[in-house]
């Protein structure tokens, strides 16, 4: 039991699904409330602001399409990260793995000469492999040399960012781009088809949804999934049971990195149709996906919902910028508030808060736990 | 789907009605934040100026738009009733052309690109003449014979500017060198500071740069060294050390373009060949430490004291040479160009034959480095 001021916190072991959903909704509402104060302070009526956001995102076909477009990379990266996090592999490198996929897809699209019907499938396969390769390097380092996975996966992002910069300024700089740092535009055969009057490259979306279902199946119903869960929940038990850590870690990172790689293929094949500055290819999808996976709490199916939620937040940010004429930084404040509250309520899910009974003496140091 | 088509139709009709009534709603799509004190800041200043000037004009903008999303924001601006849209980054080129096809009744203009359509023009205000003038002054002020240049990206625009700057330097000081460092970012004060410090350690004693902050000016001033401001007036950051600089006036282009749209000279069918390549003589750029101050008075005596021998003008002080060249390039009938042959690249190849000037096309695709440039030069032609 923990005592904080006049309250005591009691541990609850497994929060019920209703508690998880209820508390999460509460967090979003709290964030919206604080944001309303910011709107009001800026001279925009909060009511008008939220009505505009709702109308321009959920309330129009166009807005829905924009949400979907943002959801695609978040979903693919997010499902991959759910798998990694289930095995306690802290993959912070989805951004780099996404870029690896984008690089590989660009190489295939521009330089392979593969004929049209096979070009897009090859881009996806090679993009998956490139993301997987970028993912298994930290896996090797972690299992063989005990190098911290957070550090290696994060640093691998920067290596890939500089590889992309080097490619677009060096060997892959497009002759048709007049010296600007872009590759040439992909041939039309390498453009992903989109839903009519939108930029939703639906093949990648379908792959993302299938990946979520498959990942759920693997985690719940296969031997590999069982091993991933045991490694994640109790490494000692896993070792005792003779589970091969290297094999499990490699598979985890092949799937996690590979899925992020597919997201990269989608971004260059579906949106940009060329390779360009790494901050433009991804706009931080690989990092946002960490939160997508975290909020999905280990469930690939839930990642569909959380990815869509962040797709909505991204799209809402655009509306704030254009329709409400507020400075672009407000978008970051909006996203940050929602995260702040969502992560802040973690505590409420695992601890029950109640008023301390009168007369109970404060015994331990502040914040110490006796339970 | 049907509703979307219907709403697009309504938007198109409203667009036409708006044009017919002579009222213009212009939307601006910016790549950076309006507070960057560089590229986007300058475009937004210009937007505010024209917005004030014309009562038939209303303007809106979107800042910090990532590449690959310009299309989305164009859609939203058109839906809000914009009938003229300016996209202000090279990376928005393809999306602008695609949007122009989507909205045949809306007028587009794309900054710094080379693709046009019947309803989509291109425009650019370029500094190469201004850099040449700054180079003349730098050549006269250097004591070590080494001038530092902090560059953002090794792309033709910067290569053209550094070359023009170096040509100016070597006109006054034939043995001087321009040492170049690239920081691979448009806005990164930390990297710009590091690059400037490294150049100072190499012995450079005068500075010019391309980066969207006044960092290089400030670092040079801390060491008591003169520098040239970039993009915005930077005199106030170091009044004793900013010799001159490059100042942009995008409003010159926006004013001209919007007036011609308003008067019906430009319409969504006749922009295929409209390409603004505006320089000193059109007033789109200015040389100076701040508007109206071509040369900081603190440096006037130094520049008057250095005398060069020009084949046409004879014995002339650098101060007078700068003013003469400014008139030759700034007056409506331009009679001088910095890239006037013979010009050799630093590998000894003749790039501009005797008596010739370069075409605008050769200028915008320039990859070579002129004699006197020292340092890495990615993409330098080998033959």
């Amino acid at each position: 039991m923990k005592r904080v001021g006049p309250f005591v916190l009691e541990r609850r072991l497994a929060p019920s699904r209703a508690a998880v959903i209820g508390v999460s909704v509460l967090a979003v509402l709290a964030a919206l409330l604080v944001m309303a104060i910011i709107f009001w302070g800026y001279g925009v009526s909060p009511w008008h602001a939220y009505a505009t956001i709702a109308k321009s995102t959920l309330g129009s076909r166009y807005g829905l399409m924009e949400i979907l477009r943002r959801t695609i990379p978040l979903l693919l990266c997010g499902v991959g990260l759910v798998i990694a996090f289930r095995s306690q592999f802290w993959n912070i490198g989805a951004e780099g793995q996404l870029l690896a996929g984008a690089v590989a897809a660009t190489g295939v699209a521009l330089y392979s000469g593969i004929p049209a019907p096979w070009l897009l499938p090859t881009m996806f396969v090679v993009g998956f492999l490139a993301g997987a390769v970028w993912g298994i390097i930290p896996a090797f380092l972690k299992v063989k040399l005990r190098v911290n996975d957070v550090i290696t996966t994060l640093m691998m992002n920067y290596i890939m960012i500089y590889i992309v910069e080097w490619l677009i300024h060096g060997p892959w700089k497009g002759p048709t781009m007049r010296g600007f740092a872009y590759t040439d535009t992909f041939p039309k055969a390498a453009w992903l088809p989109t839903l009519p009057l939108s930029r939703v490259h639906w093949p990648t979306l379908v792959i993302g949804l299938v990946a979520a279902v498959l990942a759920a199946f693997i985690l719940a119903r296969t031997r590999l999934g069982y091993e991933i869960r045991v490694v994640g929940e109790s490494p000692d038990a896993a070792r005792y049971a003779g589970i091969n850590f290297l094999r499990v870690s490699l598979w985890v990172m092949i799937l996690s990195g590979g899925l992020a790689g597919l997201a990269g293929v989608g971004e260059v094949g579906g949106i940009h149709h060329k390779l360009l500055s790494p901050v433009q290819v991804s706009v931080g999808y690989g990092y946002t996906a960490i939160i997508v996976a975290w909020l999905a709490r280990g469930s690939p199916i839930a990642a569909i919902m959380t990815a869509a939620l962040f797709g909505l937040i991204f799209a809402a940010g655009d509306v704030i910028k254009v329709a409400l004429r507020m400075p672009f930084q407000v978008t970051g404040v909006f996203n940050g508030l929602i995260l702040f509250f969502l992560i802040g309520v973690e505590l409420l899910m695992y601890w029950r808060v109640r008023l301390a009974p009168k007369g109970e003496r404060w015994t331990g140091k502040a914040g110490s736990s006796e339970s | 789907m049907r509703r979307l088509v219907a709403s697009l139709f309504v938007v198109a009709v409203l667009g036409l009605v708006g044009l017919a009534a002579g009222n213009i709603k212009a939307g601006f799509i910016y790549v950076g934040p309006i507070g960057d004190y560089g590229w986007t800041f300058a475009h937004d200043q210009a937007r505010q100026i024209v917005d004030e000037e014309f009562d038939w004009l209303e303007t809106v903008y979107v800042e910090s738009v990532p590449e690959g999303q310009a299309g989305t924001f164009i859609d939203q601006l058109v839906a809000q009733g914009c009938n003229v849209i300016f996209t202000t980054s090279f990376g928005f080129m393809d999306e602008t052309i695609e949007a122009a096809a989507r909205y045949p009744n809306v007028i587009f203009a794309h900054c710094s690109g080379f693709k046009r359509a019947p309803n989509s023009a291109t425009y650019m205000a370029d500094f190469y003449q201004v850099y040449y003038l700054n180079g003349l002054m730098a050549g006269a002020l250097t004591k070590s014979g080494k001038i530092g240049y902090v560059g953002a990206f090794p792309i033709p625009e910067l290569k053209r500017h550094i070359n023009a700057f170096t040509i100016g330097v070597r006109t006054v000081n034939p043995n001087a060198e321009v040492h170049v460092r690239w920081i691979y970012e448009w806005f990164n004060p930390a990297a710009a500071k590091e690059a400037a410090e490294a150049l100072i350690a190499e012995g450079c004693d005068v500075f010019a740069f391309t980066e969207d902050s006044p960092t290089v000016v400030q670092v040079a001033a801390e060491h008591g060294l003169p520098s040239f401001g970039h993009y915005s007036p930077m005199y106030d950051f170091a009044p004793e050390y900013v010799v001159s600089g490059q100042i942009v006036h995008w409003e010159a282009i926006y004013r001209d373009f919007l007036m011609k749209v308003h008067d019906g000279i430009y319409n969504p069918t006749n922009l295929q060949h409209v390409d603004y390549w505006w320089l000193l003589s059109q007033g789109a750029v200015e040389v100076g430490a701040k508007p109206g101050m071509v040369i900081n008075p603190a440096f006037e005596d130094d520049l008057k004291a250095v005398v060069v021998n020009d084949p046409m003008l004879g014995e002339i002080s650098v101060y007078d040479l700068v003013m003469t060249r400014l008139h030759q390039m700034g007056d409506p009938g331009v009679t001088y160009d910095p890239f006037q042959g013979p010009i050799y690249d630093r590998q000894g190849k003749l790039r501009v034959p005797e008596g010739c000037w370069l075409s605008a096309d050769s200028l915008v695709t320039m990859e070579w480095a002129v004699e006197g440039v020292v340092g890495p030069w990615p993409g330098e032609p080998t033959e």
Side-chain angles (χ1 to χ4, degrees):
Chain A
M1 200 185 284
K2 224 187 243 185
R3 192 184 160 118
V4 182
F7 301 103
V8 285
L9 303 181
E10 283 173 345
R11 179 100 211 193
R12 43 180 156 194
L13 277 177
S16 68
R17 179 162 302 204
V20 170
I21 295 175
V23 170
S24 302
V25 169
L26 207 67
V28 174
L29 288 178
L32 293 180
L33 198 68
V34 175
M35 195 62 205
I37 298 172
I38 293 176
F39 283 136
W40 175 74
Y42 194 75
V44 177
S45 139
W47 195 244
H48 168 72
Y50 286 126
T52 310
I53 290 172
K55 197 173 65 170
S56 317
T57 53
L58 296 168
S60 75
R61 177 189 185 273
Y62 188 83
L64 287 171
M65 288 296 154
E66 277 304 300
I67 296 174
L68 275 187
R69 183 168 77 80
R70 263 54 176 278
T71 303
I72 296 169
L74 292 173
L75 174 60
L76 278 162
C77 294
V79 169
L81 293 182
V82 163
I83 298 172
F85 293 171
R86 279 299 279 272
S87 76
Q88 299 268 323
F89 197 111
W90 302 114
N91 179 11
I92 311 298
E95 186 86 357
Q97 292 144 16
L98 182 154
L99 291 172
V103 165
T106 304
V108 171
L110 290 176
Y111 303 107
S112 71
I114 291 170
W118 296 104
L119 190 55
L120 281 169
T122 314
M123 282 163 66
F124 275 116
V125 171
V126 177
F128 183 92
L129 292 176
V133 167
W134 213 244
I136 59 176
I137 296 172
F140 261 111
L141 291 172
K142 180 182 183 182
V143 178
K144 288 288 180 194
L145 300 173
R146 298 180 177 264
V147 184
N148 184 310
D149 42 347
V150 174
I151 307 288
T152 46
T153 50
L154 178 65
M155 290 300 141
M156 293 285 283
N157 290 345
Y158 294 101
I159 298 175
M160 188 47 74
I161 284 171
Y162 284 109
I163 289 177
V164 175
E165 288 281 5
W166 171 70
L167 285 170
I168 58 174
H169 281 282
W172 285 6
K173 187 153 102 171
T176 62
M177 288 295 163
R178 299 222 177 174
F180 284 90
Y182 300 89
T183 63
D184 281 335
T185 306
F186 295 174
K188 283 274 192 252
W191 291 29
L192 283 165
T194 50
L195 293 178
L197 285 172
S198 82
R199 272 120 40 88
V200 178
H201 37 108
W202 58 267
T204 329
L205 180 62
V206 172
I207 291 173
L209 294 172
V210 171
V213 174
L214 270 183
F217 178 79
I218 289 174
L219 283 174
R221 304 267 166 210
T222 64
R223 186 180 147 190
L224 175 67
Y226 172 74
E227 290 181 344
I228 289 173
R229 285 183 285 137
V230 175
V231 166
E233 279 158 38
S234 174
D236 289 338
R239 209 166 280 122
Y240 184 69
I243 291 175
N244 182 339
F245 269 64
L246 182 62
R247 197 180 82 91
V248 171
S249 296
L250 287 182
W251 271 113
V252 161
M253 287 308 288
I254 285 172
L255 293 173
S256 190
L259 289 173
L262 291 178
V265 178
E267 290 308 293
V268 292
I271 306 281
H272 300 291
H273 307 133
K274 57 181 173 272
L275 190 64
L276 65 169
S277 165
V279 293
Q280 304 283 359
V281 172
S282 153
V283 294
Y285 290 131
Y287 294 114
T288 309
I290 295 170
I291 306 148
V292 167
W294 184 256
L295 293 176
R297 290 170 204 287
S299 158
I301 302 296
I304 300 175
M305 303 308 294
T306 53
L309 171 68
F310 278 86
L312 169 64
I313 293 175
F314 269 98
D318 291 349
V319 175
I320 293 176
K321 233 160 55 168
V322 184
L324 301 177
R325 310 272 174 81
M326 292 177 71
F328 83 102
Q329 288 93 339
V330 167
T331 314
V333 174
F334 188 52
N335 295 352
L337 277 173
I338 289 184
L339 289 186
F340 178 82
F341 281 100
L342 278 174
I343 293 171
V345 298
E346 268 320 75
L347 182 86
L348 296 180
M349 266 174 223
Y350 295 95
W351 298 85
R352 185 178 288 117
V353 183
R354 62 184 176 79
L355 270 176
K358 280 226 168 82
E360 187 181 287
R361 300 250 334 256
W362 179 71
T363 47
K365 277 183 239 159
S368 75
S369 171
E370 296 168 355
S371 62
Chain B
M1 184 70 195
R2 188 178 300 156
R3 261 180 56 195
L4 185 79
V5 172
S7 57
L8 285 178
F9 178 75
V10 170
V11 164
V13 170
L14 285 177
L16 277 178
V17 170
L19 275 180
N23 281 334
I24 294 178
K25 183 166 177 181
F28 291 72
I29 304 227
Y30 300 142
V31 70
I34 54 171
D36 69 355
Y37 215 75
W39 178 263
T40 296
F41 174 79
H43 280 281
D44 198 59
Q45 293 287 308
R47 176 189 68 81
Q48 293 176 27
I49 291 171
V50 291
D51 189 281
E52 288 274 304
E53 273 175 15
F54 304 126
D55 49 12
W56 41 261
L57 177 67
E58 183 191 346
T59 63
V60 290
Y61 68 87
V62 197
E63 60 180 331
S64 289
V65 172
E67 284 173 33
Q69 285 183 41
T72 315
F73 288 108
I74 291 171
D75 291 340
Q76 299 192 21
L77 289 180
V78 173
Q80 282 184 26
C82 288
N83 44 22
V84 177
I85 289 177
F86 297 100
T87 52
T88 67
S89 174
F90 179 82
F92 298 155
M93 180 166 67
D94 289 334
E95 291 173 276
T96 306
I97 297 299
E98 285 160 21
R102 252 195 331 270
Y103 304 108
N105 294 317
V106 176
I107 287 179
F108 290 86
H110 173 239
C111 183
S112 77
F114 54 86
K115 290 186 184 167
R116 281 176 291 278
N119 59 333
S120 189
T122 48
Y123 65 101
M124 182 68 186
D126 197 78
F127 278 141
Y128 79 94
Q129 298 166 323
V130 180
Y131 269 105
Y132 162 79
L133 295 171
N134 289 164
L136 292 174
M137 303 178 217
L141 294 173
T142 178
K143 294 187 180 69
S144 66
K146 289 178 185 170
I147 290 157
Y149 196 108
V150 177
F153 288 98
I155 58 173
E157 181 187 344
L158 270 79
K159 291 178 175 179
R160 170 171 77 243
H161 293 167
I162 295 170
N163 282 341
F165 181 73
T166 308
I167 288 169
V169 166
R170 305 262 287 196
T171 302
V172 174
N173 195 337
N175 297 316
E177 293 171 342
V178 175
H179 291 235
V180 180
R181 291 276 168 131
W182 305 105
I183 60 171
Y184 291 93
E185 238 162 315
W186 290 113
F187 179 81
N188 187 339
K193 181 172 183 348
E194 209 171 294
E197 299 277 8
L199 288 165
I200 290 170
E202 265 175 40
C204 296
D205 62 355
V206 181
F207 288 86
F209 66 98
T210 309
E211 191 258 349
D212 284 343
S213 82
T215 306
V216 175
V217 164
Q218 289 166 324
V219 172
E222 278 167 26
H223 290 80
L225 298 172
S227 60
F228 295 85
H230 176 66
Y231 230 82
S232 297
M234 292 193 172
Y235 174 81
D236 292 337
F237 288 98
E240 290 166 52
Y241 297 105
V242 176
V243 185
S244 181
Q246 313 99 41
I247 303 169
V248 74
H249 292 290
W250 288 109
E251 65 273 16
I253 294 178
Y254 290 135
R255 182 185 295 127
D256 186 86
F257 191 88
L258 288 165
M259 278 171 67
K260 285 178 175 156
V261 173
H262 181 247
D263 294 347
I265 299 169
Y266 291 158
N267 63 52
T269 62
N270 66 0
L271 300 179
Q272 185 74 54
H273 302 290
V274 173
D275 176 29
Y276 285 66
W277 169 253
W278 276 24
L279 308 167
L280 277 171
S281 65
Q282 293 92 351
V285 295
E286 181 182 354
V287 59
K290 59 181 181 182
M293 185 199 280
V294 175
I295 294 173
N296 184 338
F299 291 91
E300 268 185 35
D301 292 340
D302 289 344
L303 294 175
K304 281 177 176 157
V306 180
V307 174
V308 292
N309 200 347
D310 183 88
M312 302 283 283
L313 306 166
E315 294 259 316
I316 185 168
S317 78
V318 171
Y319 183 89
D320 291 333
L321 182 61
V322 169
M323 294 303 172
T324 310
R325 293 288 187 238
L326 178 55
H327 279 298
Q328 288 175 320
M329 297 189 291
D331 292 344
V334 179
T335 55
Y336 183 81
D337 192 88
F339 291 98
Q340 181 165 299
I343 292 175
Y344 292 86
D345 71 16
R346 66 177 183 179
Q347 290 161 341
K349 187 174 178 210
L350 181 67
R351 287 290 175 179
V352 190
E354 174 113 37
C356 291
W357 291 7
L358 282 179
S359 64
D361 200 53
S362 308
L363 287 170
V364 299
T365 56
M366 186 177 290
E367 292 282 4
W368 46 274
V370 77
E371 277 178 313
V373 173
V374 176
W377 200 260
E380 185 166 11
T382 46
E383 32 44 84

PDB file of all heavy atoms in Angstrom, chain A residues 299-311:
ATOM      1  N   SER A 299      -1.891  -6.130 -27.426  1.00  0.00           N
ATOM      2  CA  SER A 299      -2.837  -6.762 -28.341  1.00  0.00           C
ATOM      3  C   SER A 299      -2.719  -6.163 -29.737  1.00  0.00           C
ATOM      4  O   SER A 299      -2.983  -4.981 -29.945  1.00  0.00           O
ATOM      5  CB  SER A 299      -4.261  -6.563 -27.826  1.00  0.00           C
ATOM      6  OG  SER A 299      -5.172  -6.695 -28.903  1.00  0.00           O
ATOM      7  N   PRO A 300      -2.322  -6.988 -30.719  1.00  0.00           N
ATOM      8  CA  PRO A 300      -2.214  -6.479 -32.088  1.00  0.00           C
ATOM      9  C   PRO A 300      -3.551  -5.968 -32.614  1.00  0.00           C
ATOM     10  O   PRO A 300      -3.593  -5.027 -33.409  1.00  0.00           O
ATOM     11  CB  PRO A 300      -1.733  -7.682 -32.897  1.00  0.00           C
ATOM     12  CG  PRO A 300      -1.118  -8.596 -31.907  1.00  0.00           C
ATOM     13  CD  PRO A 300      -1.875  -8.395 -30.623  1.00  0.00           C
ATOM     14  N   ILE A 301      -4.653  -6.584 -32.198  1.00  0.00           N
ATOM     15  CA  ILE A 301      -5.959  -6.129 -32.673  1.00  0.00           C
ATOM     16  C   ILE A 301      -6.268  -4.740 -32.115  1.00  0.00           C
ATOM     17  O   ILE A 301      -6.741  -3.845 -32.813  1.00  0.00           O
ATOM     18  CB  ILE A 301      -7.072  -7.131 -32.248  1.00  0.00           C
ATOM     19  CG1 ILE A 301      -6.770  -8.524 -32.804  1.00  0.00           C
ATOM     20  CG2 ILE A 301      -8.431  -6.644 -32.709  1.00  0.00           C
ATOM     21  CD1 ILE A 301      -6.764  -8.634 -34.300  1.00  0.00           C
ATOM     22  N   ALA A 302      -5.927  -4.552 -30.828  1.00  0.00           N
ATOM     23  CA  ALA A 302      -6.138  -3.227 -30.238  1.00  0.00           C
ATOM     24  C   ALA A 302      -5.289  -2.184 -30.940  1.00  0.00           C
ATOM     25  O   ALA A 302      -5.649  -0.998 -30.988  1.00  0.00           O
ATOM     26  CB  ALA A 302      -5.815  -3.264 -28.746  1.00  0.00           C
ATOM     27  N   ALA A 303      -4.144  -2.608 -31.515  1.00  0.00           N
ATOM     28  CA  ALA A 303      -3.279  -1.656 -32.220  1.00  0.00           C
ATOM     29  C   ALA A 303      -4.006  -1.030 -33.413  1.00  0.00           C
ATOM     30  O   ALA A 303      -3.705   0.091 -33.811  1.00  0.00           O
ATOM     31  CB  ALA A 303      -1.991  -2.328 -32.679  1.00  0.00           C
ATOM     32  N   ILE A 304      -4.975  -1.771 -33.982  1.00  0.00           N
ATOM     33  CA  ILE A 304      -5.757  -1.182 -35.081  1.00  0.00           C
ATOM     34  C   ILE A 304      -6.477   0.065 -34.565  1.00  0.00           C
ATOM     35  O   ILE A 304      -6.473   1.120 -35.201  1.00  0.00           O
ATOM     36  CB  ILE A 304      -6.787  -2.196 -35.645  1.00  0.00           C
ATOM     37  CG1 ILE A 304      -6.071  -3.433 -36.172  1.00  0.00           C
ATOM     38  CG2 ILE A 304      -7.631  -1.547 -36.737  1.00  0.00           C
ATOM     39  CD1 ILE A 304      -6.998  -4.530 -36.637  1.00  0.00           C
ATOM     40  N   MET A 305      -7.060  -0.067 -33.361  1.00  0.00           N
ATOM     41  CA  MET A 305      -7.787   1.054 -32.776  1.00  0.00           C
ATOM     42  C   MET A 305      -6.849   2.201 -32.408  1.00  0.00           C
ATOM     43  O   MET A 305      -7.105   3.362 -32.701  1.00  0.00           O
ATOM     44  CB  MET A 305      -8.540   0.612 -31.506  1.00  0.00           C
ATOM     45  CG  MET A 305      -9.518  -0.519 -31.691  1.00  0.00           C
ATOM     46  SD  MET A 305     -10.658  -0.188 -33.039  1.00  0.00           S
ATOM     47  CE  MET A 305     -11.518   1.204 -32.346  1.00  0.00           C
ATOM     48  N   THR A 306      -5.733   1.863 -31.742  1.00  0.00           N
ATOM     49  CA  THR A 306      -4.855   2.943 -31.282  1.00  0.00           C
ATOM     50  C   THR A 306      -4.171   3.629 -32.464  1.00  0.00           C
ATOM     51  O   THR A 306      -3.957   4.839 -32.445  1.00  0.00           O
ATOM     52  CB  THR A 306      -3.808   2.420 -30.282  1.00  0.00           C
ATOM     53  OG1 THR A 306      -3.121   1.314 -30.860  1.00  0.00           O
ATOM     54  CG2 THR A 306      -4.464   1.975 -28.994  1.00  0.00           C
ATOM     55  N   ALA A 307      -3.845   2.845 -33.510  1.00  0.00           N
ATOM     56  CA  ALA A 307      -3.241   3.473 -34.697  1.00  0.00           C
ATOM     57  C   ALA A 307      -4.232   4.451 -35.307  1.00  0.00           C
ATOM     58  O   ALA A 307      -3.880   5.571 -35.703  1.00  0.00           O
ATOM     59  CB  ALA A 307      -2.826   2.416 -35.711  1.00  0.00           C
ATOM     60  N   ALA A 308      -5.509   4.040 -35.364  1.00  0.00           N
ATOM     61  CA  ALA A 308      -6.530   4.921 -35.940  1.00  0.00           C
ATOM     62  C   ALA A 308      -6.703   6.164 -35.070  1.00  0.00           C
ATOM     63  O   ALA A 308      -6.894   7.273 -35.580  1.00  0.00           O
ATOM     64  CB  ALA A 308      -7.857   4.173 -36.079  1.00  0.00           C
ATOM     65  N   LEU A 309      -6.601   5.980 -33.733  1.00  0.00           N
ATOM     66  CA  LEU A 309      -6.717   7.135 -32.832  1.00  0.00           C
ATOM     67  C   LEU A 309      -5.632   8.160 -33.147  1.00  0.00           C
ATOM     68  O   LEU A 309      -5.897   9.361 -33.241  1.00  0.00           O
ATOM     69  CB  LEU A 309      -6.607   6.680 -31.372  1.00  0.00           C
ATOM     70  CG  LEU A 309      -6.507   7.818 -30.356  1.00  0.00           C
ATOM     71  CD1 LEU A 309      -7.817   8.597 -30.280  1.00  0.00           C
ATOM     72  CD2 LEU A 309      -6.137   7.289 -28.969  1.00  0.00           C
ATOM     73  N   PHE A 310      -4.400   7.658 -33.362  1.00  0.00           N
ATOM     74  CA  PHE A 310      -3.332   8.612 -33.651  1.00  0.00           C
ATOM     75  C   PHE A 310      -3.418   9.155 -35.069  1.00  0.00           C
ATOM     76  O   PHE A 310      -3.009  10.288 -35.319  1.00  0.00           O
ATOM     77  CB  PHE A 310      -1.965   8.007 -33.323  1.00  0.00           C
ATOM     78  CG  PHE A 310      -1.669   8.136 -31.871  1.00  0.00           C
ATOM     79  CD1 PHE A 310      -2.113   7.177 -30.964  1.00  0.00           C
ATOM     80  CD2 PHE A 310      -1.033   9.260 -31.393  1.00  0.00           C
ATOM     81  CE1 PHE A 310      -1.902   7.324 -29.621  1.00  0.00           C
ATOM     82  CE2 PHE A 310      -0.816   9.416 -30.040  1.00  0.00           C
ATOM     83  CZ  PHE A 310      -1.249   8.446 -29.150  1.00  0.00           C
ATOM     84  N   GLY A 311      -3.965   8.352 -35.964  1.00  0.00           N
ATOM     85  CA  GLY A 311      -4.268   8.889 -37.294  1.00  0.00           C
ATOM     86  C   GLY A 311      -5.212  10.076 -37.164  1.00  0.00           C
ATOM     87  O   GLY A 311      -5.026  11.123 -37.793  1.00  0.00           O
TER      88      GLY A 311
END
